[in-house]
Amino acid sequence: MQTSEMKLDGNAIAGLLGEIFAVEMTSAQGTCASCGAVNEVGRVDVYIHAPGTVVRCPDCEQVLMRIVRGRGRYWLDLTGVRCLELAED
Amino acid sequence: MRDTHRLMGFISRGFKGRRRDTASSSRLPPGQYLVNDFPVLSAGPTPRANLDQWTFSIEGEIDEPKRWTWKELLALPSDTVTKDIHCVTKWSKFDTTWKGVSVATLLEGVETGAEYVTVFCDGGYTTNLPLEDIMDGKAWVAYEFDGQPLHPEHGGPARLLVPHLYFWKSAKWVRGIRLENEQHPGFWESNGYHLYGDPWREQRYWGD
């Protein structure tokens, strides 16, 4: 197989992403990109009285996620989460 | 119940509501509703500043960065202004009275080629603005609301006040202004919210 044939486009992960984002997320384990603490998504700090939803690490208070909803769209920033560990359904 | 509502609505429109409604609608940007309380919005825990160590800085594209202590800031000439404010979550509040130092006063004598600023805060919040939107009496570093020291939940000891833009630009717990040659989207502007945020053009989200 040539190298050029090994590179696919994003449609190749449609099924994989569909499996991942369909699972129950509150039991997922998230690693904070800032301090490295691992916390269950259901146990992190959440601020909803804001222009969007802000999710913070309960250990260091840094932002894990920002979620904005408007005009029929979502904007999701996960740069504060280094890794999400999810159980298969 | 339904009839009562309809009747009250009719009476209110017919006898006393019309003039006031017209006056307020011309002051109310599209999609906004009027509140009389002052909702508290917060993207994180409320920082408690130690005023002995608090400073306000102007840095970035500037030959000599400027810095004021809390006492020095209070000693600068101040303005008391009454402004309408408009939150992107759709509430507006009329005739809010603030005391603070005009950003124009802080920028006096500053020479910079910068066209944009990032406003930075305790707690890590940032917001971006064109420099000209905080010049010439369009923005203040406010430390009093309604004649009282600004409460921490409303951004005290000091917040930016930029009333002509959506209120997320009026950053709470403000600590300084970074002058920049390019626009760097801030906390909300990098995740769906409009780069500029003019309430009269309803610039809420990317693409508005």
Side-chain angles (χ1 to χ4, degrees):
Chain A
M1 184 185 268
Q2 290 182 353
T3 311
S4 61
E5 292 167 356
M6 295 173 72
K7 185 170 80 176
L8 308 173
D9 71 23
N11 289 304
I13 55 171
L16 182 59
L17 292 179
E19 285 170 29
I20 290 171
F21 284 102
V23 306
E24 157 62 32
M25 293 294 286
T26 53
S27 58
Q29 304 282 326
T31 304
C32 173
S34 186
C35 76
V38 179
N39 283 285
E40 205 174 272
V41 169
R43 295 181 183 277
V44 297
D45 295 340
V46 175
Y47 294 83
I48 59 168
H49 298 285
T53 297
V54 180
V55 180
R56 289 180 182 269
C57 173
D59 289 73
C60 74
E61 296 185 344
Q62 289 297 306
V63 176
L64 296 172
M65 309 180 197
R66 283 174 292 182
I67 306 163
V68 170
R69 186 180 191 179
R71 301 275 187 265
R73 314 188 75 82
Y74 294 100
W75 289 272
L76 174 59
D77 174 7
L78 292 169
T79 49
V81 180
R82 187 195 302 151
C83 179
L84 268 179
E85 179 183 328
L86 307 117
E88 274 186 60
D89 265 348
Chain B
M1 194 66 182
R2 198 172 190 178
D3 286 339
T4 313
H5 273 285
R6 197 184 301 158
L7 186 61
M8 286 171 70
F10 174 74
I11 290 170
S12 139
R13 275 200 305 277
F15 291 98
K16 58 177 183 180
R18 183 171 291 156
R19 188 186 298 169
R20 192 182 54 208
D21 285 353
T22 307
S24 54
S25 64
S26 67
R27 287 172 70 180
L28 207 52
Q32 297 291 108
Y33 64 88
L34 192 58
V35 298
N36 291 312
D37 60 342
F38 193 169
V40 173
L41 274 73
S42 194
T46 300
R48 306 282 163 169
N50 178 349
L51 293 180
D52 291 334
Q53 290 169 11
W54 190 95
T55 56
F56 189 88
S57 306
I58 296 180
E59 55 185 57
E61 296 296 323
I62 178 175
D63 286 341
E64 292 182 33
K66 302 180 76 169
R67 177 171 284 194
W68 295 265
T69 65
W70 179 248
K71 282 183 181 169
E72 288 167 343
L73 185 84
L74 296 191
L76 292 173
S78 64
D79 295 337
T80 298
V81 295
T82 299
K83 299 286 180 185
D84 299 346
I85 56 176
H86 311 292
C87 180
V88 74
T89 62
K90 300 198 171 178
W91 59 265
S92 291
K93 184 173 175 60
F94 290 165
D95 297 322
T96 60
T97 300
W98 306 82
K99 182 181 177 185
V101 178
S102 169
V103 175
T105 300
L106 300 172
L107 290 171
E108 253 172 35
V110 170
E111 287 189 21
T112 179
E115 291 183 28
Y116 302 98
V117 301
T118 290
V119 175
F120 55 91
C121 305
D122 279 333
Y125 185 79
T126 58
T127 188
N128 59 282
L129 298 128
L131 178 59
E132 66 173 10
D133 279 86
I134 59 171
M135 305 278 279
D136 306 326
K138 291 198 280 279
W140 292 265
V141 175
Y143 48 76
E144 280 186 18
F145 172 73
D146 237 355
Q148 300 293 321
L150 186 58
H151 195 278
E153 70 181 12
H154 285 302
R159 78 182 296 162
L160 195 71
L161 175 67
V162 196
H164 71 287
L165 299 176
Y166 280 125
F167 213 47
W168 89 74
K169 299 283 186 180
S170 294
K172 294 159 78 162
W173 313 304
V174 68
R175 292 295 301 276
I177 295 169
R178 190 157 48 245
L179 300 163
E180 293 168 336
N181 293 328
E182 293 170 359
Q183 181 142 247
H184 299 286
F187 186 90
W188 289 120
E189 296 88 346
S190 59
N191 198 52
Y193 277 101
H194 199 274
L195 266 182
Y196 184 64
D198 180 353
W200 297 98
R201 287 185 279 169
E202 227 181 333
Q203 294 172 333
R204 298 180 196 274
Y205 302 102
W206 289 2
D208 282 350

